[in-house]
Amino acid sequence: MLTRIAASAVIVIGLATPITASSSASASSASASSAAQATSTGQRAAPGWHGVPTPTLQPGAALYQVAPANRRLAWAVGAQNDSKASVLLRWNGRAWKEQMLPDTPGAGLSSVAVAGPNRAWAGGGKSPDGKGYAIHWNGRAWRRVDVPDGLRITKIAASRGGAAWALASDSMSTSVLRYEKHQWVRADVPLPAHAYPWAIAVRNARDVWITGSASDLPFALHWDGTQWQNVAVPGGYYQVIAQILPLGPDNVWAYSDDTYMNVSATLLHWDGTTWTAAKPGVQLGSSSQLAEDGEGGFWLSYYGGLGHSRYLHYQSGQFTDAQGPDRTDVYVDTLNIARVPGSRLIWSVGRGRDYSGANGPDQAVIERFN
């Protein structure tokens, strides 16, 4: 029995047909060294997930989010020096390079989003002056921009049309921000009582989703360009809609997880009227990530493993299991994935933990599907 929930928040109990899917093994691994050699020589790598060399960063490095503008430009943000310093990387079409951050950054740069080659935003943590740290790319340089006092940005989302939204928190609550007139300003969003937004997605200026938990129950808000609508979602106490991926007005995927034990992660699909649970056939983890594939489906990273990352590809009602390149004695924790606009290329970023017994520091990990 699955709860059908209409967009008008009228609940109808009935039987819904689950999205059936099969899980098939697809060994698509290749070593990071072979991928690097292919990149340097111009040789086209075999289809699949491949490791991409990262710049030399300080110990304890991790990349939290990646935002591609096109095949020749992408940004990634994270931390290094055991989370004491932020890091900003740029993909120039051939290699990733570390970039200088403006205006005395602090630690915790955690989110980045793009609206094209000449518009990008990043933020997270606070700088030494105690204010939330956020920067904007204008196509030539990164500049620091204002954040309302007391807030630190946790998530940023943007669309190709230029609309940019963010979630920002203080010690008590989380606010929704919009980027207007070269600064982040508070947006008038009717969040439910005791709401803790976890995710924000912007497909265009008339299609924005904010999800999370409110009073320990999951919630979802949708902006249609005119008004915000509370879209009821299934789930019990301690459930949270941790991610939302709108592929179209009647084709939305959500990742539901529990905040208590992290053992009941679920994929949900919204067809404009009803939420339906999917069955991917694998155990999902609390840090799983979603990204569109450019062909009506999506990629999902799940439960990292020793020796390689793991991914699921959903297309035409079927889930296909895939794994990343071999990384001996390294536990790969995928923290974000994103598609390159206009292509099937997918970037994946995260960190690798040394399990060889040498107890080495975490290292940034970058992978790509092509």
Side-chain angles (χ1 to χ4, degrees), residues 71-158:
R71 291 174 180 266
R72 297 178 301 278
L73 176 63
W75 303 96
V77 298
Q80 56 184 333
N81 191 17
D82 295 323
S83 299
K84 296 182 180 67
S86 292
V87 60
L88 172 68
L89 302 183
R90 175 177 179 166
W91 171 255
N92 61 16
R94 299 186 63 183
W96 286 95
K97 303 289 185 180
E98 186 173 6
Q99 305 294 295
M100 183 73 71
L101 284 161
D103 194 19
T104 318
L109 194 62
S110 57
S111 190
V112 60
V114 301
N118 299 323
R119 298 193 72 183
W121 299 264
K126 292 185 177 182
S127 58
D129 60 13
K131 296 182 178 180
Y133 185 73
I135 53 178
H136 175 247
W137 169 255
N138 61 11
R140 300 179 302 276
W142 286 95
R143 306 291 186 191
R144 185 167 173 178
V145 296
D146 289 337
V147 178
D149 284 346
L151 296 179
R152 52 191 300 173
I153 287 178
T154 57
K155 299 285 178 62
I156 303 176

Side-chain angles (χ1 to χ4, degrees), residues 49 243 255 282-291 298-304 309-313 322 333-337 348-349:
W49 285 96
Q243 289 190 62
Y255 189 84
V282 300
Q283 178 183 353
L284 302 177
S286 60
S287 63
S288 293
Q289 301 290 306
L290 290 165
F298 63 89
W299 281 95
L300 166 73
S301 66
Y302 76 98
Y303 192 74
S309 52
R310 298 295 297 269
Y311 304 93
L312 285 177
H313 184 217
D333 190 6
T334 301
L335 300 177
N336 189 238
I337 56 177
S348 169
V349 298

